[in-house]
Amino acid sequence: MLNNINVTVNSLTVSVTGYGKCGKSICKTFKNLGAEVISFSRRYSTVADAESDGIKAYLLKDAPKIISKSDVIINTVPVKILGEEILKKTK
């Protein structure tokens, strides 16, 4: 929960899985608040869409290598995507 973090939003790196309606809105909101935002999606076309919106974007398969740099992870996909092994490597 964000209220448990002792930093300001503009100093956070926020990763968002999924770039559909919810993911896009969340990414844009955090970007507008000054956070570094990273989006993860399954399809190249969605990665391109996020990049055209000024969001750093990667394929979901690359998440294990990149997501450990995140301060906050938000999953907008309605299934468990990130396993315990990956989450243990995060801040």
Side-chain angles (χ1 to χ4, degrees):
M1 304 240 300
L2 288 176
N3 58 347
N4 294 330
I5 298 174
N6 294 325
V7 295
T8 59
V9 171
N10 65 352
S11 66
L12 295 175
T13 299
V14 178
S15 287
V16 180
T17 59
Y19 200 70
K21 289 180 182 180
C22 291
K24 186 178 282 195
S25 178
I26 290 167
C27 286
K28 288 180 178 181
T29 298
F30 276 100
K31 183 176 186 254
N32 289 338
L33 291 171
E36 178 182 353
V37 180
I38 304 169
S39 171
F40 294 97
S41 304
R42 290 179 293 157
R43 295 187 298 269
Y44 287 103
S45 60
T46 310
V47 169
D49 185 27
E51 287 176 342
S52 72
D53 289 336
I55 305 294
K56 289 182 184 179
Y58 301 92
L59 290 173
L60 194 54
K61 68 180 180 107
D62 298 323
K65 296 179 269 183
I66 300 164
I67 208 159
S68 63
K69 300 172 186 171
S70 301
D71 299 298
V72 176
I73 301 169
I74 300 170
N75 180 21
T76 67
V77 180
V79 295
K80 183 179 177 181
I81 291 183
L82 304 172
E84 189 175 329
E85 187 174 312
I86 293 171
L87 294 175
K88 283 182 180 180
K89 296 177 184 178
T90 62
K91 296 177 187 179

